[in-house]
Amino acid sequence: MNKNIYGAIIKESKQRCIGYGITEDQVFSKKMIDHGELQTKFSENRDLILTAAPYMEHLMSIVRGNNFFVLLTDRDGCILNAIGDEKILTEAFELKMVAGAYMSEEYIGTNAMSLVIKSGQPIQMSGTDHLVKAYHRWTCSGAPIRDPNGNLIAALDLTGYSDSVHPHTLGMVIAASNAIEEMLKAKEYNRLQNMTNKHIKTIFNSMPVAILTSNLDGMIKIYNQKAMDLFGNKYKQLSATNVSEIIEDWENIKDAIHSEKHVNRIINIKALRNHFHCQMTASPIYNPQDDSIEIVFVLKEDQSRKIQKCEQPYYTFDKIMGQDSQFVSTIEYAKKIANNRSTILILGESGCGKEVFAQSIHNHSKRMEEPFVALNCGAIPNQLIESELFGYEDGAYTGAKKGGNIGKFEQANNGTIMLDEIGEMPLDMQTRLLRVLQENVITKIGSQQSIPIDVRIIAATNKDLKKEVELGRFRKDLFYRLNVLPLYLPPLRERRSDIAILFHYFMKNLSSKYEKKEVQITEENMRMLETYNWPGNVREVENVVELMINTESFPDQYFLKNSEQTDLSKKFTGYVDKTPLEFREERLEDLDPALLDMNYIEKEHIKRVLKIYKGNISQAAQALGIQRNTLYSKISKYEIKLEIGNKPREFWFEDRYGKGHKHG
């Protein structure tokens, strides 16, 4: 932007602001909306918030550690989201630059966001360019965000200290806003395409009977919504299913179609867990597109069939692959705890199959015919998680869906809800969840009425929740409420005998799915698979097999590039007790009572971490997730001999603990 034009825009803005009564000594925005109005804003801008969130995170990943924060406002200048480095973001919060604060000219004076909203153009300003003195310490780069019709709907701002000003900063913000706009366009295009497709399918899907077609070999081609409802969630992807899997005595029926042409009879359907009778009409038709014969099935369920309340989750225990003795014991333990009301906490690294076990537990319980609802607590922005969990009433806020909306807990009533990545849940929502666990009631947004619910909760996390409790990021009372029945899923490196089983399973299934040949590997390749530590666990095995199928070769470079990570994992494998957590407790009575003390466990863990980092206090403290002073305190408490390399080190604690005492 031409400097003269730039200066003129700022000057005109300041003159307008003086007319609004804004002074240089003002600190806070004159307009801050309350919680109810803010929830309305979040709902109105839900798609914008969700779309912008990953691009804001990416923008911060570029400048993280250099004291920057990113703000997203709506078209009126109301802050919708704020993320950034802790120091500078804390300063912004002290100036009440938080969600619900308005950054437009009439409320806080000249700033990058107000000028973007006013002019519709990107702008960068620093120091005294801002009207209020409180913002003179900062440099701000802002850019507009427009909807697919070209209307300005938001502003994106990146703020840092004035000495960090650089023209490239504005370029990054413009690139991020453009990316958000393109994603909004793509979503709108997909929305319109979906509307067209839905219009075409409306008649087909609105028919009160299940309709599907297959070839003469029984492979299903097309089907309507009623067919999906009839066969349950297990057959949600019916196109990958053979008719013989869902219709009993298929071979005899096929022979009858060949001889009789039109078949009308009562048949037995094999759905998820129960069999039921259907009236079937089957007729062969000629398909001119590929010169083939297809069979059209019209199925109407027996009215005596029990109406299912929901679709069922796919996974059951018999679909879990593994022969490792400890893993089999884990499966047996999961079966034991499946059929009761107590809360389960599934612990395990990412990719270990936590949701697979959660679904299997549900399908092994008395609640198997009831809803199973899964929610990833880490995938929903904090502003929206309350409405996702508990729903909202009709008219709870402007723009709310007519008739209101039920939340995940109400959807899961009488069934099971899985709260994945529970460690990512915000503290205020942890309080609400604790009330649900204690009282078995929920309250929708905009309602004063408590709704009783009966839901079995399965929580899952790859975090150490005890450490999160110590760090103040997770409520202690909620942790103990969730940790009634802990279920530890071992990482794949602790059950290496299952690697080959999983590899061959995925190779067979994925090659069939993509209609490609299975890739043959040598014994040396298999040894490489079995010695690799698989930090991504079972999910990583599936990804590697898919890579092999698509490249038709064994990915040696993949394992070479990840060898450093593999070696790092080996450092820690010696310290992992490979017995499932739930079975370790059964043998506690065999241990020396002194080994049951929590202080002993903490002392031994600290000694191991110090040994790994060769006595480096800073690195060890970072690995433990505690401050250096805290680590020094624990070293002193447990009288741990600190070593640098292989040599004992003497150290004093005069300043830290008053009276000096030496350790060596």
Side-chain angles (χ1 to χ4, degrees):
M1 183 180 292
N2 183 284
K3 288 186 177 181
N4 294 329
I5 298 175
Y6 172 84
I9 289 175
I10 293 177
K11 183 178 179 181
E12 290 173 2
S13 174
K14 288 184 176 181
Q15 289 174 348
R16 286 194 300 270
C17 294
I18 293 172
Y20 296 139
I22 308 298
T23 67
E24 293 182 348
D25 297 325
Q26 183 173 322
V27 177
F28 308 129
S29 173
K30 289 184 177 182
K31 184 173 182 179
M32 300 276 295
I33 57 177
D34 60 24
H35 178 75
E37 292 177 295
L38 185 57
Q39 288 298 320
T40 301
K41 281 287 184 183
F42 288 153
S43 178
E44 292 172 348
N45 294 278
R46 183 178 187 275
D47 190 46
L48 171 64
I49 294 171
L50 290 172
T51 303
Y55 296 99
M56 294 173 67
E57 290 288 352
H58 180 67
L59 191 58
M60 270 307 304
S61 71
I62 299 173
V63 298
R64 182 165 282 117
N66 293 302
N67 282 311
F68 280 91
F69 64 87
V70 182
L71 294 178
L72 176 71
T73 76
D74 67 2
R75 62 169 64 89
D76 301 318
C78 179
I79 296 177
L80 300 175
N81 198 3
I83 61 172
D85 292 325
E86 183 176 358
K87 179 177 181 296
I88 192 169
L89 192 60
T90 300
E91 292 181 9
F93 287 170
E94 289 173 351
L95 297 179
K96 296 185 180 179
M97 294 177 68
V98 296
Y102 277 70
M103 302 304 297
S104 46
E105 288 182 344
E106 58 266 40
Y107 300 118
I108 193 60
T110 304
N111 63 81
M113 287 162 284
S114 69
L115 286 179
V116 168
I117 293 168
K118 193 72 176 177
S119 68
Q121 299 296 324
I123 196 163
Q124 185 176 66
M125 54 192 303
S126 300
T128 56
D129 290 342
H130 300 91
L131 178 61
V132 299
K133 293 179 181 178
Y135 294 174
H136 286 184
R137 73 188 82 171
W138 289 336
T139 178
C140 303
S141 301
I145 298 174
R146 302 181 185 277
D147 66 16
N149 296 320
N151 302 312
L152 190 145
I153 57 171
L156 186 67
D157 173 81
L158 178 63
T159 296
Y161 292 124
S162 294
D163 55 7
S164 301
V165 64
H166 196 286
H168 291 170
T169 309
L170 180 58
M172 291 191 300
V173 178
I174 294 172
S177 67
N178 288 341
I180 294 170
E181 290 178 351
E182 290 303 314
M183 183 56 69
L184 290 172
K185 288 179 183 177
K187 287 186 174 181
E188 177 64 12
Y189 174 80
N190 289 336
R191 186 184 70 82
L192 294 175
Q193 285 293 99
N194 288 336
M195 285 179 61
T196 302
N197 292 335
K198 287 178 181 178
H199 182 74
I200 295 173
K201 294 178 180 178
T202 297
I203 297 176
F204 187 51
N205 284 330
S206 64
M207 298 184 73
V209 292
I211 302 175
L212 57 89
T213 69
S214 79
N215 61 19
L216 292 176
D217 293 326
M219 293 304 300
I220 294 176
K221 298 293 186 179
I222 60 174
Y223 48 88
N224 67 353
Q225 182 63 45
K226 187 65 177 179
M228 290 173 57
D229 296 339
L230 186 65
F231 300 123
N233 195 49
K234 179 180 180 181
Y235 300 103
K236 191 169 185 179
Q237 298 299 327
L238 282 172
S239 57
T241 306
N242 195 287
V243 173
S244 62
E245 297 179 42
I246 56 178
I247 298 179
E248 284 191 354
D249 203 22
W250 158 243
E251 291 298 327
N252 288 334
I253 293 173
K254 184 169 66 172
D255 292 341
I257 293 173
H258 276 292
S259 60
E260 302 172 26
K261 300 302 181 182
H262 300 283
V263 177
N264 193 332
R265 65 175 66 174
I266 299 293
I267 62 169
N268 198 30
I269 294 293
K270 299 180 289 186
L272 184 64
R273 258 184 170 69
N274 52 339
H275 294 196
F276 56 92
H277 294 294
C278 268
Q279 177 69 42
M280 180 199 74
T281 301
S283 305
I285 59 170
Y286 174 68
N287 186 348
Q289 289 185 341
D290 54 6
D291 195 30
S292 64
I293 301 295
E294 292 188 0
I295 302 171
V296 178
F297 299 88
V298 179
L299 301 164
K300 186 175 182 180
E301 62 182 305
D302 192 331
Q303 293 303 312
S304 63
R305 180 192 175 212
K306 178 184 176 182
I307 299 175
Q308 299 297 308
K309 293 185 179 180
C310 68
E311 295 183 341
Q312 295 297 314
Y314 172 74
Y315 289 103
T316 54
F317 284 117
D318 58 0
K319 291 183 175 63
I320 298 177
M321 308 297 296
Q323 297 178 1
D324 176 82
S325 59
Q326 292 181 0
F327 187 66
V328 171
S329 297
T330 300
I331 295 174
E332 292 304 313
Y333 173 79
K335 290 179 180 179
K336 289 179 183 178
I337 65 176
N339 203 23
N340 59 58
R341 293 171 56 89
S342 300
T343 303
I344 296 175
L345 179 61
I346 303 179
L347 309 166
E349 296 178 2
S350 179
C352 280
K354 294 186 284 293
E355 183 165 357
V356 172
F357 267 77
Q359 290 189 19
S360 300
I361 289 170
H362 173 83
N363 280 332
H364 199 72
S365 72
K366 292 179 181 178
R367 299 173 184 260
M368 53 177 279
E369 300 295 343
E370 302 297 336
F372 175 90
V373 177
L375 178 71
N376 188 325
C377 300
I380 302 175
N382 294 352
Q383 305 95 322
L384 303 176
I385 193 168
E386 183 178 6
S387 61
E388 289 288 333
L389 281 174
F390 305 114
Y392 53 83
E393 282 289 330
D394 186 6
Y397 44 76
T398 304
K401 188 170 73 173
K402 186 176 181 180
N405 193 47
I406 65 172
K408 300 299 184 184
F409 270 100
E410 196 172 353
Q411 290 178 27
N413 195 26
N414 298 317
T416 304
I417 187 169
M418 180 192 179
L419 300 176
D420 200 7
E421 295 188 28
I422 188 70
E424 302 294 337
M425 180 174 283
L427 281 168
D428 58 332
M429 290 309 302
Q430 292 178 29
T431 304
R432 293 287 306 276
L433 177 59
L434 185 63
R435 178 175 179 246
V436 174
L437 288 167
Q438 291 172 336
E439 303 175 12
N440 294 320
V441 296
I442 61 168
T443 304
K444 292 183 177 181
I445 296 174
S447 172
Q448 300 298 319
Q449 181 182 359
S450 294
I451 302 173
I453 58 167
D454 175 18
V455 176
R456 207 289 176 75
I457 295 178
I458 300 177
T461 182
N462 57 12
K463 286 190 172 184
D464 183 348
L465 289 188
K466 286 187 177 180
K467 182 184 288 186
E468 294 297 300
V469 169
E470 292 174 1
L471 295 173
R473 295 197 288 252
F474 201 86
R475 290 183 62 101
K476 185 177 182 180
D477 46 2
L478 177 59
F479 170 71
Y480 286 111
R481 279 279 183 176
L482 294 174
N483 195 37
V484 179
L485 294 172
L487 176 62
Y488 170 73
L489 301 186
L492 189 56
R493 62 178 176 274
E494 293 181 23
R495 53 184 186 105
R496 294 185 183 277
S497 59
D498 289 340
I499 293 174
I501 296 173
L502 291 165
F503 173 83
H504 291 302
Y505 171 81
F506 287 130
M507 181 61 71
K508 179 180 179 180
N509 283 272
L510 292 177
S511 60
S512 175
K513 175 181 177 181
Y514 295 119
E515 299 182 349
K516 292 191 175 184
K517 292 182 179 179
E518 294 185 23
V519 178
Q520 303 300 319
I521 64 171
T522 64
E523 292 183 6
E524 182 179 354
N525 294 151
M526 181 55 71
R527 283 196 298 272
M528 185 178 293
L529 294 173
E530 291 177 339
T531 54
Y532 179 62
N533 273 317
W534 299 105
N537 295 295
V538 178
R539 187 181 297 123
E540 187 180 7
V541 177
E542 184 177 8
N543 292 344
V544 168
V545 172
E546 187 169 346
L547 173 65
M548 292 176 60
I549 290 172
N550 283 286
T551 60
E552 299 182 350
S553 62
F554 186 86
D556 298 89
Q557 291 299 317
Y558 177 92
F559 296 97
L560 292 175
K561 290 179 180 178
N562 290 277
S563 61
E564 181 179 351
Q565 187 175 22
T566 302
D567 293 337
L568 181 62
S569 299
K570 290 179 180 177
K571 292 182 179 180
F572 295 90
T573 52
Y575 301 126
V576 178
D577 184 352
K578 298 181 181 180
T579 307
L581 179 62
E582 51 276 13
F583 288 97
R584 294 180 211 162
E585 296 180 354
E586 295 178 4
R587 298 194 293 274
L588 290 178
E589 62 272 13
D590 300 330
L591 297 176
D592 184 335
L595 301 181
L596 301 179
D597 186 74
M598 288 297 293
N599 290 331
Y600 172 81
I601 296 172
E602 184 176 55
K603 175 182 177 180
E604 291 301 307
H605 184 60
I606 290 173
K607 286 169 64 177
R608 288 168 177 162
V609 174
L610 285 168
K611 184 176 180 181
I612 291 170
Y613 290 102
K614 299 180 181 180
N616 187 305
I617 296 295
S618 297
Q619 293 179 4
Q622 184 177 5
L624 290 165
I626 60 178
Q627 298 294 323
R628 283 166 49 91
N629 290 353
T630 304
L631 179 55
Y632 274 120
S633 175
K634 293 183 181 295
I635 291 171
S636 174
K637 174 183 176 182
Y638 298 128
E639 298 183 351
I640 297 173
K641 182 180 290 186
L642 190 63
E643 297 183 1
I644 300 179
N646 297 317
K647 296 180 181 180
R649 172 186 175 188
E650 293 185 351
F651 50 92
W652 291 79
F653 296 91
E654 289 181 334
D655 295 336
R656 208 169 272 109
Y657 305 106
K659 185 178 180 180
H661 46 278
K662 181 175 72 173
H663 291 265

